[in-house]
Amino acid sequence: MTRRTDWADDDVRSTVPEGRGSGGGGAYDDMAYGEAGEDVEAGSGAADGPRRGGRKRGGAGPRGRRRRSGFGDQPGAAQDDGPPDSSRAERGAPSGDPAERARNICLRLLTGTPRTRKQLADALRKREIPDDVADEVLTRFEEVGLINDSAFADAWVESRHHGRGLARRALARELRTKGVDSTVIDEAVGQLDSEREEETARELVARKLRSTRGLERDKRLRRLAGMLARKGYPEGMALRVVRQALEEEGEDTEDLGFGE
């Protein structure tokens, strides 16, 4: 017998703060993104995207700065792995109604940061929500726009490319680990063309170039090309961009064994 979750659209939407969730372009407008770092292994999913907005004063830290969680951070990760009744939302739900528990779990997770359907399904499975109940709840959330894998993928590509300089290959790998459908991934990474990728690759090399000065040319080449490779750039593009950057500094690259 199919279990029904009889709540209205407005009821579901009203329980999530405005601007949160995974559906629609507005879901990402006020999201706080993390800071970009250096040379993190592509596809790890551990790095943050670009920060939007300024830092707020006050809070923890010697200078009174509080770090806001970014796109890719999981502020509720410790709670996600806890017992089924670990959250206040779940403790307040009727223990005999798995659909209500599933709903509260999803709402709590979506309040922290956008999630894909698979991420939410995995969280419900950890809490021993029956698969048929989880599927019905997640489908309902998709219908009202609180789960939108396409919007998630588009925002992920934009954020991670600008903030971390990740190329299409690395971005696609990250989205696959989050359970996004391959067709949706192809559409999202299609936002980036080869020209834009190469422009970003040049910017990354230019920022890293100074720290390699004083090293042997071949070592500089390996270090810079390796940095681009970890971010998902094709080998040919990486070598071409690095070679041109080294030539602009006066390095002789005629004997490197690859052409333009």
Side-chain angles (χ1 to χ4, degrees):
M1 179 175 67
T2 304
R3 186 183 300 271
R4 296 294 302 276
T5 51
D6 297 325
W7 59 75
D9 292 3
D10 292 339
D11 183 41
V12 174
R13 289 194 183 96
S14 66
T15 54
V16 176
E18 183 178 358
R20 296 291 187 179
S22 300
Y28 301 92
D29 291 345
D30 63 352
M31 183 179 300
Y33 295 103
E35 299 180 44
E38 289 292 333
D39 302 350
V40 173
E41 189 73 22
S44 66
D48 299 342
R51 179 181 297 273
R52 291 185 179 180
R55 292 182 175 178
K56 294 183 178 180
R57 294 290 180 180
R63 298 185 180 179
R65 293 183 178 180
R66 177 179 300 166
R67 188 183 184 278
R68 301 170 66 188
S69 60
F71 199 20
D73 285 348
Q74 299 185 10
Q79 295 179 355
D80 293 352
D81 294 330
D85 60 347
S86 60
S87 72
R88 284 178 295 178
E90 291 176 63
R91 286 198 298 270
S95 59
D97 187 353
E100 185 68 12
R101 284 188 56 228
R103 178 191 179 198
N104 287 331
I105 292 167
C106 290
L107 290 173
R108 180 172 59 84
L109 293 176
L110 289 171
T111 299
T113 186
R115 313 273 178 157
T116 66
R117 176 168 178 145
K118 181 180 184 300
Q119 287 176 310
L120 292 173
D122 290 344
L124 295 179
R125 191 171 296 111
K126 287 181 180 180
R127 288 164 176 75
E128 301 180 352
I129 301 295
D131 289 344
D132 60 332
V133 175
D135 184 68
E136 187 176 358
V137 170
L138 294 173
T139 297
R140 185 59 172 161
F141 272 56
E142 284 183 326
E143 289 172 354
V144 299
L146 293 177
I147 302 175
N148 188 330
D149 283 3
S150 180
F152 179 97
D154 288 344
W156 186 271
V157 168
E158 188 70 15
S159 170
R160 303 284 282 172
H161 180 73
H162 282 299
R164 304 292 300 182
L166 299 186
R168 287 174 291 186
R169 184 168 58 187
L171 292 166
R173 184 164 58 244
E174 287 189 340
L175 289 171
R176 280 195 298 271
T177 66
K178 298 183 179 301
V180 179
D181 182 77
S182 59
T183 301
V184 175
I185 292 175
D186 290 342
E187 293 176 354
V189 299
Q191 299 176 38
L192 303 176
D193 55 26
S194 297
E195 291 183 0
R196 184 174 174 185
E197 270 193 332
E198 185 160 338
E199 180 181 353
T200 302
R202 294 183 189 282
E203 294 172 356
L204 291 169
V205 170
R207 292 202 297 264
K208 190 75 173 178
L209 196 63
R210 179 178 297 180
S211 66
T212 67
R213 289 171 185 165
L215 300 176
E216 295 180 357
R217 182 204 60 185
D218 289 354
K219 189 170 184 179
R220 298 183 78 189
L221 173 69
R222 289 193 300 270
R223 182 167 296 184
L224 294 169
M227 177 267 295
L228 292 179
R230 290 192 297 275
K231 292 180 180 290
Y233 291 88
E235 180 181 7
M237 177 188 293
L239 292 174
R240 181 174 66 253
V241 168
V242 173
R243 175 181 179 176
Q244 291 172 352
L246 293 177
E247 287 177 345
E248 291 174 0
E249 286 208 338
E251 293 275 13
D252 182 7
T253 62
E254 292 298 325
D255 61 334
L256 288 178
F258 56 90
E260 294 292 338

